[in-house]
Amino acid sequence: LLALPRVAGDASARFGHLIGFALWLGGTAAMLATAPDDARRVLPFLWLGMALQVVTGAYQMLTWTPFTLVPYHSLLSLMEHFRFVFPYTLLLTAKLGLAGLSLLGTVGLTLASRGATGSHSTGWGRRFGWLNFALGLVLAYVAVALLLVHEGIDHAL
């Protein structure tokens, strides 16, 4: 199956999305585990993971959906005859919202770790680090729930 370009692209995008999430969440955990002055060295991995997630996430939104249309709120009236479209849309919206918050948290973490030095940077850097880490765990939970609904839709169709 991987010889088919569409299948290879979908598999690569899913794998890249997982690698991006691992780089981002692992980078956040590494920033929490290191001294504040050394945490700046982890920032490129954090942003590499975020960039991978944005690119592969956009690709998956365009190609990997169980419906013909991506279930945005504006398209729900066209898709109301599908089973599980409302839970899928709710979980997708929650995941995208959490992803936006994690992007803002990463920007805050970057600014906090690059801005001040010494004890002032420790407070804000740690706060944004814990915020990102908690968001990452919630995001992983919602992503697994979305995947389970997605699989339920595939089997129901």
Side-chain angles (χ1 to χ4, degrees):
L1 280 176
L2 289 176
L4 298 171
R6 173 73 187 259
V7 174
D10 288 350
S12 298
R14 288 185 202 127
F15 184 71
H17 205 66
L18 288 174
I19 293 296
F21 184 76
L23 281 170
W24 175 76
L25 191 64
T28 301
M31 288 187 90
L32 288 171
T34 60
D37 294 333
D38 295 332
R40 287 184 213 129
R41 290 188 276 169
V42 181
L43 283 174
F45 296 106
L46 216 68
W47 283 105
L48 176 65
M50 188 62 73
L52 267 171
Q53 284 186 301
V54 167
V55 169
T56 57
Y59 174 83
Q60 289 182 62
M61 286 289 292
L62 295 173
T63 63
W64 187 53
T65 179
F67 307 108
T68 306
L69 303 169
V70 178
Y72 296 122
H73 284 290
S74 60
L75 302 175
L76 281 180
S77 62
L78 300 172
M79 303 173 65
E80 62 187 8
H81 62 281
F82 285 115
R83 197 174 186 186
F84 301 123
V85 74
F86 293 110
Y88 189 87
T89 303
L90 179 66
L91 288 170
L92 180 65
T93 304
K95 183 182 176 199
L96 293 175
L98 288 168
L101 285 175
S102 67
L103 181 63
L104 289 176
T106 304
V107 168
L109 185 58
T110 302
L111 293 175
S113 67
R114 287 191 174 183
T117 58
S119 63
H120 182 67
S121 67
T122 355
W124 282 106
R126 296 287 180 204
R127 287 182 192 125
F128 279 115
W130 283 111
L131 172 72
N132 268 359
F133 193 74
L135 278 171
L137 295 178
V138 173
L139 187 59
Y141 184 81
V142 170
V144 169
L146 182 65
L147 181 65
L148 290 173
V149 173
H150 185 112
E151 291 301 318
I153 292 167
D154 283 345
H155 291 293
L157 292 177

